[in-house]
Amino acid sequence: MATTWKFTAKEIVEKPDLFTSGHRACAGCGPAIALRQIMKATRGPTIVTNATGCMEVVSTIYPYTAWKVPWIHTAFENAAANASGIAAALKAMKRKGRLQEDIDIIAFAGDGGTFDIGIQALSGAAERGHDFLYVLYDNEAYMNTGIQRSGGTPHGASTTTSPAGKVIPGKRQYKKAIADIMVAHEIPYVATASIAYWQDVLMKTRKGLEVEGPAFLHVLAPCPRGWRYDTSKTIEIAQLAVETCIFPLWESTDGQCSLSPQSKIVALKPERKRPVKEYLETQRRFRHLLTPEFESEIDNIQKMTDKRWNKLLRRCNLVSL
Amino acid sequence: MTVVSVQQNVLALNGDEAVALAVKQSDVDVVAAYPITPQTIIVERFSEYVADGEVDTEFVCTESEHSALTACLTASATGVRTFTASASAGLALMHEILYVTSGCRAPVVMAIANRALSAPINIHCDHSDSMVERDSGWIQVYVENSQEAYDSIIQAFRIAENPEVLLPVMVCLDAFFLSHTLENVRVLSDDIVQGFVGLRKIPLVASHEGKKVPFRLDPENPITIGPLDLYDYYFEHKRQQEEAMNHAPQVIKRVHDEYAQLSGRRYGNGLIETYELEDAEIAAVCVGSTAGTAKTVVDELRAKGVKAGLLRLRTFRPLPTADVKEALESVRAIAVMDRSNSFGGNGGPVFHEIRHILYDSKTHPHVVNYIYGLGGRDMPQSLIRGIYRDLGEISETDRVESRVHFAGVRE
Amino acid sequence: MTEKQKGWKEVPVAGVCWKPATDYPTGDWRTFKPIRDPEKCTKCLLCPMICPDSAIEWNRNTEDIQFDYDFCKGCGICANECPAEAIIMTREEEEA
């Protein structure tokens, strides 16, 4: 479904924040940027629910709240079930004539709450077809508890539970292809986005809200503390992830997959595809890979990135390289 | 008291079906559930009501009990009436969300078909599943028969949603003995039940926008539910929950009285039911369907001139402390029957409570404990007779040889 | 924050929040302060959209960008990303 929504930057900056300042996210927080951008794309009355995690904690430190929309948090593994209950309630109220207006539902969860502990509730809600947008803000580890590895942590990253040691160079496993898993649920809309491209984030949010049924938006949101880089580099790194094809941008509408402009240009002009090393070098979570001892790991990451990129190109009916 | 009851039909229903019917009649907006024996019939019957267009409830078949209760919780927070049902492992899986539900003050109603916990896996009756949740902030009602299951579900919505209470309610019925056993159940008409439960009233709450707004997720009046609440305020919120529990007994009694006016049915005072207890010298205390068997034994003993009585706890949370104390204070020897055990805890949970209540009595009756019926083991009259026989000895000798017993287990 | 804390009879039920986060300034977290050169600024509106703290606003009256130093945590993203290089980060204590 193509959206008819059009916006100018001025309209968007003038729209009051529904996720406000005064939240206690760290300086340079990528997920906070993601939430701000997404909440700028709402189209009307909206209810938000959050899984336990960084964004839940920093936005609602009692008695303060950074939310100008109705908001509920219940637990870690159940953001999609929260949304299911809200959706069911709204549906029942409408059927009984106790509610007239259309209300959108957005569920936010981090990578831990999505790739790992929340995947069962997410899969169930997707299968049942509730009308809601699920936003995965992915900072690639359990940052709220102190940088532990999750199913969304990339290969080679050093975290407190996948530390780079003398014999094991960080996380051994590759990042779970969570958005592909959601595509396999045959829900109407799945997309990836990066906070480096705010218009794209907003447009995909709006599309996710507009479709009937579940939509899944996977937003890459770098974390200065966990990825170990200077707080000013959040957007730069979020952009590099796209330019290296570590995190390509695409959307799948009713099963039709297409690359978003920022990744499509790389597909069309392969010389613009930057080596993963340029991305890895920006973050001290990968620092150990830059030693002679473990540098073959960089090749492995490049190979896996290429393999996944080529698979994506094939799915988008673009020539595999 | 003169009871003016309305026209009622008598239906042959098992406990689960009686629960499903009560839910159907109570104008429930959202039912979210997951199947587990022996609760499944509730969900199946309700699905049929939905499939036949007999209810306009939104029925959500979740992928787990955890999500079922979560969905009920958030639907309830959105302002509607919700119901779920579970048992055993399912309730255990809900454990985390039980606390969240009561903490969010969501008046969810849940039926529990009490079943043993694994391992080894067992589908039959005991109270291990719900007893372990006694501290979760839910009101717990244990019923004796299917009729009471039906009546209690209807009352539960009124109790849970009362603004002075605003707590979730568990109605516990014994697996198979009640859940699967046909009984004649007198049922009220749909109109009468709907009139009794009414529309859910939403209390007001102070919001971060400095307004008093309905306590629900409403885009026109946004509120934040479920924040990070640290050492500066968490304790105050828990104290509020205790206060809500303190309000519950009066509300339970009032709703019970009002319902009795309609139905003609009473279960003691709504909190406890006493049976031949007034002049009793020896008495048993139990929850659930065992009370039926125990009453028969009491009748038999009374016919022989033995001053035996019975106290059935109907609400375990809130614990009707004053009622229990008053009812048992003048009894000489008391046997508390527990259909669950607290391993290493010197007796079962009901025993702990009853003995604790009687610690403050001047008469200091002897209180002993019988753990029985685990995993659905039958509790025949003969065993109950044995318990009263033991009580007779204690009463006579004024001595307790052994405090905690296991009734019906092979040596 | 020395205001008297409320007792259990006073606070709203269920942990419903009763203060907006905008009552909680985070500007004092800052070590570096963004300073904009209005001459260089093209008002492209990128910085308000990539600020994690809603600390860069569009003022409708002045038709211009303005920083909200009550909330700016000084992360430096705006300075790093500004295509016109119109924002520099300065150490707080360096200011007169």
Side-chain angles (χ1 to χ4, degrees), chain C residues 19-94:
Chain C
K19 281 186 175 181
T22 46
D23 283 1
Y24 190 93
T26 52
D28 57 356
W29 296 15
R30 195 169 55 238
T31 311
F32 292 93
K33 183 175 184 174
I35 305 287
R36 184 183 63 126
D37 180 349
E39 299 294 312
K40 286 188 184 171
C41 175
T42 64
K43 302 180 190 178
C44 73
L45 301 182
L46 173 64
C47 57
M49 291 311 299
I50 53 171
C51 172
D53 298 296
S54 312
I56 310 173
E57 294 162 350
W58 176 251
N59 186 321
R60 284 187 206 210
N61 299 325
T62 59
E63 289 274 307
D64 202 0
I65 293 285
Q66 77 186 34
F67 286 95
D68 185 346
Y69 292 116
D70 286 343
F71 293 99
C72 168
K73 294 168 187 162
C75 66
I77 290 175
C78 53
N80 194 59
E81 297 304 319
C82 179
E85 297 184 5
I87 304 171
I88 52 158
M89 301 302 288
T90 54
R91 240 186 203 285
E92 279 285 339
E93 56 264 31
E94 284 171 12

Side-chain angles (χ1 to χ4, degrees), chain A residues 250-306:
Chain A
W250 52 271
E251 62 185 352
S252 175
T253 309
D254 292 324
Q256 289 299 309
C257 188
S258 61
L259 287 181
S260 307
Q262 300 79 4
S263 285
K264 196 163 187 180
I265 196 151
V266 180
L268 297 176
K269 297 184 175 176
E271 68 277 12
R272 292 183 66 159
K273 182 164 174 280
R274 299 167 71 167
V276 297
K277 194 176 176 193
E278 288 182 24
Y279 173 77
L280 304 174
E281 279 169 348
T282 59
Q283 304 154 52
R284 278 178 290 143
R285 62 174 171 161
F286 296 118
R287 179 173 52 180
H288 53 285
L289 302 183
L290 303 170
T291 60
E293 198 182 352
F294 294 126
E295 67 186 350
S296 64
E297 282 296 319
I298 296 178
D299 293 337
N300 291 338
I301 294 169
Q302 186 67 61
K303 276 181 203 150
M304 188 55 148
T305 303
D306 294 345

Side-chain angles (χ1 to χ4, degrees), chain B residues 71-230:
Chain B
C72 284
L73 158 57
T74 55
S76 182
T78 310
V80 303
R81 182 172 289 151
T82 68
F83 172 84
T84 187
S86 196
S88 185
L91 185 59
L93 188 60
M94 287 178 176
H95 175 74
E96 177 193 25
I97 306 301
L98 291 175
Y99 282 72
V100 184
T101 305
S102 58
C104 287
R105 307 296 295 274
V108 176
V109 172
M110 167 154 64
I112 303 296
N114 282 118
R115 164 185 154 182
L117 286 168
S118 295
I121 193 166
N122 176 300
I123 58 166
H124 292 283
C125 177
D126 72 36
H127 299 153
S128 312
D129 53 358
S130 58
M131 279 297 164
V132 78
E133 304 300 352
R134 64 190 180 274
D135 297 335
S136 64
W138 285 58
I139 290 171
Q140 289 194 332
V141 178
Y142 289 82
V143 304
E144 182 181 332
N145 50 46
S146 301
Q147 179 70 65
E148 191 183 350
Y150 171 82
D151 295 333
S152 301
I153 291 284
I154 295 167
Q155 293 174 40
F157 291 107
R158 283 279 303 275
I159 296 162
E161 294 167 11
N162 185 298
E164 295 288 298
V165 177
L166 218 59
L167 290 173
V169 178
M170 242 177 237
V171 175
C172 305
L173 58 150
D174 285 346
F176 295 101
F177 299 118
L178 299 186
S179 68
H180 284 60
T181 307
L182 275 182
E183 204 182 285
N184 280 342
V185 177
R186 289 166 64 85
V187 302
L188 297 159
S189 71
D190 294 359
D191 289 352
I192 291 287
V193 175
Q194 284 197 18
F196 180 81
V197 294
L199 268 182
R200 186 182 154 193
K201 291 180 195 70
I202 309 285
L204 297 178
V205 70
S207 82
H208 55 286
E209 293 183 338
K211 294 189 282 187
K212 285 264 186 188
V213 301
F215 176 39
R216 66 183 187 90
L217 299 170
D218 172 9
E220 284 188 15
N221 297 296
I223 58 170
T224 289
I225 304 175
L228 175 69
D229 191 14
L230 300 172

Side-chain angles (χ1 to χ4, degrees), chain B residues 158-160 162 164-165 247-256:
Chain B
R158 283 279 303 275
I159 296 162
N162 185 298
E164 295 288 298
V165 177
H247 292 154
Q250 285 313 314
V251 174
I252 294 167
K253 282 200 226 174
R254 213 161 55 225
V255 171
H256 176 257

